[in-house]
Amino acid sequence: MAAFLQKRMFSFFVRSSGLVIRQSLPGRHNPSLKKKKGPTVVNKKKNKPVFRKPTEVVPPVDSESLLNPALLEATRIRKPVKLSYEEQERRTLLLKEWSRYKMKQHKEELQRIQELQRCREEALKELKKTSLFLYHEAIKVNHDFFPIQFKGPTETPPIPGYMAPDMEENKGDKIKVKAKS
């Protein structure tokens, strides 16, 4: 048993002495020394002519058009003007009057749009009474007016546990929704 322990201890000391040497190697590193480089390979691409884009011609800058930094100094900043009570009231009333004018303009625009929609619906009803073919031609969507193309996902992953409703058409334009059981 003693011989076995001696072999183990001997191998331990041998290994540790080897480690000590390996640990001391990085300590002798000198960062000021450069690494030795091997033979350099000549790049054959350098012999090819390089095509460069013509440089952009920049117009000369007019010195008078530049902002004068002296104008941005704190001494040039104006102090806020203190208005009298009458002037504040006059400006407030003017602002309210302007707001009323813009609101009236907005309401007139909405009324005009509603009137156009009402006239359109009335015309479509009359057209439906006279000719069903012309009515269907009138309500067709013309995609040539707005050539819009949308790109995006066409399918989405299913939602786990979602039961889609059954869609059944009734007589007329209404759609009845019936859930799956």
Side-chain angles (χ1 to χ4, degrees):
M1 177 97 173
F4 175 74
L5 282 174
Q6 283 180 343
K7 284 183 183 180
R8 284 286 180 197
M9 288 179 69
F10 181 75
S11 64
F12 173 74
F13 288 119
V14 170
R15 275 193 234 140
S16 66
S17 64
L19 287 174
V20 172
I21 294 170
R22 279 187 236 139
Q23 286 177 347
S24 65
L25 284 175
R28 291 186 289 201
H29 173 68
N30 189 353
S32 63
L33 293 176
K34 293 184 178 179
K35 290 184 177 180
K36 293 181 182 178
K37 295 183 180 179
T40 57
V41 178
V42 178
N43 194 356
K44 294 181 181 179
K45 291 182 181 178
K46 288 186 179 180
N47 296 337
K48 294 181 182 178
V50 177
F51 296 105
R52 296 184 184 178
K53 293 181 181 177
T55 58
E56 186 179 332
V57 178
V58 180
V61 179
D62 184 20
S63 60
E64 292 179 5
S65 66
L66 297 176
L67 185 63
N68 187 355
L71 298 176
L72 299 175
E73 293 176 3
T75 57
R76 298 266 315 166
I77 297 175
R78 296 179 182 173
K79 295 177 183 175
V81 178
K82 292 187 178 180
L83 300 173
S84 65
Y85 178 76
E86 292 81 18
E87 181 64 21
Q88 286 178 351
E89 284 295 314
R90 189 187 73 77
R91 289 186 182 189
T92 305
L93 291 174
L94 186 65
L95 185 62
K96 285 182 180 181
E97 189 178 337
W98 175 253
S99 182
R100 278 190 217 106
Y101 169 75
K102 292 305 279 183
M103 184 59 147
K104 181 182 174 188
Q105 196 177 34
H106 177 67
K107 283 183 179 179
E108 288 172 356
E109 182 75 15
L110 287 179
Q111 286 175 353
R112 190 175 62 80
I113 291 171
Q114 286 175 354
E115 181 67 20
L116 287 172
Q117 286 178 338
R118 190 187 60 74
C119 289
R120 180 180 178 272
E121 292 297 323
E122 189 177 317
L124 284 174
K125 282 181 187 177
E126 291 297 320
L127 188 61
K128 193 173 188 179
K129 288 178 187 176
T130 57
S131 171
L132 198 58
F133 173 74
L134 290 177
Y135 170 76
H136 286 295
E137 289 296 315
I139 63 171
K140 271 188 185 174
V141 178
N142 188 356
H143 295 288
D144 295 335
F145 282 133
F146 302 103
I148 299 173
Q149 293 180 353
F150 294 103
K151 292 181 181 178
T154 56
E155 294 181 13
T156 56
I159 300 171
Y162 176 72
M163 298 297 288
D166 284 338
M167 303 296 279
E168 296 177 5
E169 271 192 35
N170 286 344
K171 295 176 186 172
D173 296 337
K174 294 184 181 179
I175 296 174
K176 183 179 177 184
V177 178
K178 182 176 132 182
K180 286 185 177 179
S181 298

